[in-house]
Amino acid sequence: LPTLAAGFVWNTNQLNTAGIISVVSSAPPVFGSVASSGGNLIMAGSNGTVSGNYYVLTATNLDLPVSNWTRLATNQFNASGNFNFTNPVDPNAAQQFFRLSLP
């Protein structure tokens, strides 16, 4: 395959199953907004792999190794590589941290 412009990589995840090769951004997904509404925390972001899976991880201690964070949800980026995630706010939790993880 030819060399791509900076910031892009070949995605061959579906080559063996669907015969598809695509170009995706090599930059990681990022949170773009976080809001609170009706007792929920709503997080949105971009830069994911189109229709690719992602995991939302949570922990109450930011210093924990990633392997000790709890998987809160498994979801897919949309056709533009964006994501939305809504989680009820636990009023008894002093603090809660979130991160995205890719398979």
Side-chain angles (χ1 to χ4, degrees):
L1 297 172
T3 302
L4 297 171
F8 294 96
V9 296
W10 290 104
N11 177 10
T12 58
N13 290 346
Q14 296 181 355
L15 184 58
N16 292 332
T17 58
I20 297 172
I21 297 174
S22 57
V23 176
V24 296
S25 172
S26 60
V30 294
F31 286 99
S33 66
V34 178
S36 177
S37 176
N40 292 312
L41 184 65
I42 303 163
M43 298 169 273
S46 61
N47 214 34
T49 301
V50 171
S51 300
N53 290 331
Y54 69 90
Y55 309 121
V56 178
L57 306 179
T58 186
T60 56
N61 180 348
L62 193 56
D63 291 330
L64 287 176
V66 175
S67 60
N68 290 359
W69 286 52
T70 301
R71 187 181 298 178
L72 190 59
T74 301
N75 230 331
Q76 282 189 322
F77 296 105
N78 68 16
S80 299
N82 300 322
F83 69 93
N84 267 314
F85 177 75
T86 301
N87 189 62
V89 174
D90 180 355
N92 298 317
Q95 60 189 11
Q96 190 171 11
F97 301 98
F98 300 92
R99 71 184 303 158
L100 290 183
S101 177
L102 302 176

